Amino acid sequence: MRETESAASSRREFLRWLSVAGAGVGAVAVGGLPGPASAAVSPEAQSTPSGGVNSDITVLRGGTVIDATGARPIRDAVVVTIGDSIVWVGREHRSMPVPAGARVVDVRGKYVIPGLWDMHVHGIYIEEFWPPLFIANGVTGIRETWGLPDVYATRDRIEQGLLTGPRVNTAGPLVDGPGSCWTGYPLALARTPAEGREAVRRTRAEGADWVKVYSFLRRDVFDAIADEARLLGLPFAGHVPTMVSVPHAARSGQRTFEHLYGMAIATSDREEEFLKRLRDTPIDPTNPFPYAQLMGELDREAVRSHNRGKAAALYASLARRGTWQSPTLTVLRVSSVPTDTLVNDPRLKYMPTSLRESWKVMLEARGPRTPERLAAEREFFAFQMRSLGEMRRAGVGVVGGTDVLNPYCMPGFSLHDELRLLVESGLSTLQALQSVTRDAARCLGTERTMGTVTRGKVADLVVLDADPLADIRNTQRIHAVVTRGTLRTRQDLDRILADVEAAAARPGAAAVSSAAARISDRMAQGGGCGCH
């Protein structure tokens, strides 16, 4: 009884200190904190199923905080979390009391950054693989870009604490027009403006966060979707439909443009010619793939008539309207690299055998990757990279995403590839980091509660062994992850990876519902119309 009263008193003293010091002080006194040898966990703390320790109060002591706000890094800092909230960030000092049972972790020589967000994901419902792999790679939040019943169910299990995984922001059902590559799959088919409005209402009724528009929507249907989304207060985002110009989509309020689709045509002197051809070409609903192939061909042809002045004016307009680019460079790059680069990736050992086989089928189905074809794809990818860099310098917002579940896009791992590609495209290391932290939250409209290492934000953090601002590849050097206030050490993360690797080798792994399985199989084999 005395120990309980003592612990309660210690906690009250700590909270009282925070309430006084937090009123306006930016430095915290922690010189008297117990060292790492006494980093005891209170008796009520319990191990989570995935190996983390769920202690109410966690103190990360002595590291360098890169808070992603753009402010200078805070050296010799301390970060305090209580439950799922960051309650203190600042420099070390000497007067801060620490309650009994707090977990104090020495992170001197380490770097503390916000938890990462992958802003274009599919397949979170593959629960034995996707959720743990995201957490093991420091990805504490995802934007799931096709709402399915399985997606909602997995999201709810994570929120209820029944499953360890990232926070899930999800689209509703994919909304597409007649001739869609996904006809026959779970989607919202919108052939008329009325059906477009109904698709938006369905998205809201299902509890999704935003409306996903797709490639085959007619302009009048697109306009109805934009209007209904505005009336209901729902963001809408996704592909720029082939029959809608990029400037019109931006004026209509489309939040994000995925995969850089339409950007080459929109910056071409021949834009009207290309758009007319797309409008006038009939789509065979029994075989939409020739039309999808035409889309890609015109995109590549448009590069030869690129107008830099027109591009600059468009980028300035997108920046003024607050339109975001979600380039998914990881999936775009797949077409431009030799086959052995993909099939010999050592990280494939964490993918289910069935998925690895599906990805091989995709490569074989696309035919020989000749030197000439690879050179042409590399040239187009280089254009996309240059364009993205120009957009970011013009002030267009960029969020990092991967299109996980598409061939050779792997949950968690590929986001670090995306960060490297963003830097290669011309973003600074800080801008790349912000694209998956602060700017991801801004894009989602959740910047008041997440995205930076600041007081009052959720307790999602990554501790790194090296400085990501010196080399963005250092985001892969993960020392620990804090998600929803629960600390997972490197040992915990290694155990997660070992469990996933063992599961990946097991026959029949990754079973999901029939509807989700059909979509997963189609995407894994390169089905649909390009990226998703």
Side-chain angles (χ1 to χ4, degrees):
M1 182 67 177
R2 291 177 180 175
E3 291 181 357
T4 301
E5 291 175 352
S6 176
S9 175
S10 173
R11 183 183 179 88
R12 284 194 297 271
E13 180 186 1
F14 174 66
L15 295 175
R16 187 163 46 247
W17 188 95
L18 285 177
S19 68
V20 174
V25 180
V28 63
V30 297
L33 288 179
S38 57
V41 182
S42 60
E44 64 271 18
Q46 306 202 353
S47 294
T48 67
S50 58
V53 174
N54 187 9
S55 185
D56 185 32
I57 301 175
T58 298
V59 180
L60 303 179
R61 172 194 185 188
T64 296
V65 171
I66 301 172
D67 64 16
T69 66
R72 296 180 64 178
I74 306 171
R75 304 194 183 280
D76 301 319
V78 65
V79 179
V80 181
T81 69
I82 298 180
D84 192 19
S85 296
I86 299 171
V87 298
W88 189 266
V89 182
R91 295 287 302 275
E92 290 201 34
H93 200 269
R94 289 192 175 273
S95 65
M96 176 183 180
V98 177
R103 179 162 189 169
V104 181
V105 184
D106 192 316
V107 294
R108 284 174 290 188
K110 313 297 182 185
Y111 295 80
V112 182
I113 63 173
L116 309 177
W117 274 76
D118 189 328
M119 292 290 283
H120 194 116
V121 164
H122 297 281
I124 189 62
Y125 47 77
I126 308 176
E127 292 185 355
E128 194 172 13
F129 296 89
W130 266 223
L133 285 176
F134 281 123
I135 296 302
N137 282 278
V139 179
T140 59
I142 64 164
R143 187 173 70 138
E144 173 61 77
T145 54
W146 189 341
L148 298 166
D150 295 67
V151 168
Y152 306 142
T154 296
R155 175 197 60 186
D156 293 346
R157 279 194 285 275
I158 293 173
E159 288 299 320
Q160 294 162 9
L162 303 176
L163 176 69
T164 297
R167 301 177 195 270
V168 179
N169 176 283
T170 182
L174 186 152
V175 186
D176 205 6
S180 172
C181 297
W182 294 99
T183 299
Y185 290 79
L187 58 79
L189 186 61
R191 295 159 294 193
T192 66
E195 289 182 339
R197 290 181 183 277
E198 175 57 31
V200 176
R201 292 192 289 269
R202 173 182 164 186
T203 296
R204 184 181 187 183
E206 290 184 359
D209 299 294
W210 53 283
V211 180
K212 169 99 179 257
V213 293
Y214 209 64
S215 301
F216 286 73
L217 289 168
R218 295 199 326 252
R219 176 166 162 166
D220 60 335
V221 178
F222 176 87
D223 288 346
I225 290 169
D227 184 60
E228 191 70 19
R230 183 167 49 250
L231 289 173
L232 296 183
L234 275 179
F236 76 99
H239 294 198
V240 176
T242 59
M243 300 175 203
V244 177
S245 72
V246 165
H248 182 78
R251 287 193 299 270
S252 300
Q254 183 166 331
R255 177 70 59 85
T256 66
F257 295 167
E258 309 296 316
H259 318 302
L260 300 175
Y261 282 173
M263 297 306 299
I265 290 175
T267 57
S268 166
D269 282 330
R270 299 170 59 192
E271 178 186 12
E272 290 305 317
E273 172 192 340
F274 292 136
L275 290 176
K276 184 177 187 303
R277 186 172 173 187
L278 288 167
R279 286 193 299 267
D280 293 347
T281 299
I283 304 172
D284 181 356
T286 65
N287 182 20
F289 299 105
Y291 187 87
Q293 186 176 9
L294 174 64
M295 291 158 47
E297 290 172 355
L298 294 184
D299 235 6
R300 285 156 177 75
E301 187 176 344
V303 174
R304 293 197 288 273
S305 54
H306 179 69
N307 183 319
R308 297 192 66 180
K310 184 178 183 180
L314 174 62
Y315 301 161
S317 175
L318 296 179
R320 286 194 303 273
R321 295 183 183 281
T323 306
W324 296 85
Q325 286 288 343
S326 173
T328 64
L329 299 175
T330 301
V331 72
L332 299 181
R333 174 180 173 271
V334 168
S335 298
S336 67
V337 297
T339 298
D340 59 359
T341 302
L342 302 171
V343 299
N344 294 321
D345 190 323
R347 300 171 299 182
L348 287 171
K349 65 184 179 181
Y350 299 109
M351 299 295 99
T353 301
S354 59
L355 193 62
R356 296 199 300 268
E357 292 302 318
S358 294
W359 288 352
K360 280 187 179 180
V361 169
M362 180 279 298
L363 286 182
E364 294 168 358
R366 289 189 178 182
R369 299 160 75 86
T370 64
E372 295 77 15
R373 176 65 181 273
L374 285 173
E377 293 291 347
R378 279 196 297 271
E379 182 180 353
F380 183 58
F381 183 59
F383 168 81
Q384 293 174 307
M385 295 271 279
R386 288 194 303 274
S387 297
L388 181 65
E390 291 169 4
M391 280 183 256
R392 185 64 185 83
R393 287 189 289 276
V396 178
V398 174
V399 290
T402 60
D403 218 353
V404 158
L405 187 55
N406 274 279
Y408 300 97
C409 299
M410 292 170 273
F413 299 105
S414 288
L415 188 64
H416 299 285
D417 300 338
E418 186 77 11
L419 288 171
R420 175 179 56 81
L421 291 170
L422 288 170
V423 170
E424 290 179 8
S425 76
L427 275 67
S428 69
T429 51
L430 175 60
Q431 289 171 336
L433 181 63
Q434 288 173 326
S435 79
V436 296
T437 54
R438 183 198 70 176
D439 293 346
R442 288 179 174 178
C443 180
L444 296 175
T446 58
E447 64 271 26
R448 291 187 177 183
T449 59
M450 60 184 64
T452 59
V453 187
T454 47
R455 290 181 66 242
K457 300 294 179 72
V458 295
D460 293 344
L461 305 165
V462 183
V463 182
L464 304 174
D465 285 326
D467 184 359
L469 300 185
D471 186 338
I472 198 63
R473 291 173 295 184
N474 287 336
T475 59
Q476 300 173 85
R477 299 181 60 182
I478 297 174
H479 177 76
V481 174
V482 178
T483 176
R484 300 173 189 264
T486 297
L487 175 73
R488 290 176 173 81
T489 65
R490 184 66 257 173
Q491 184 179 14
D492 297 327
L493 302 177
D494 287 341
R495 185 161 50 248
I496 290 173
L497 291 174
D499 290 344
V500 172
E501 182 180 357
R506 191 177 66 246
V512 295
S513 77
S514 59
R518 288 172 60 222
I519 290 174
S520 298
D521 289 346
R522 180 82 171 271
M523 291 179 63
Q525 295 181 24
C529 301
C531 307
H532 314 99

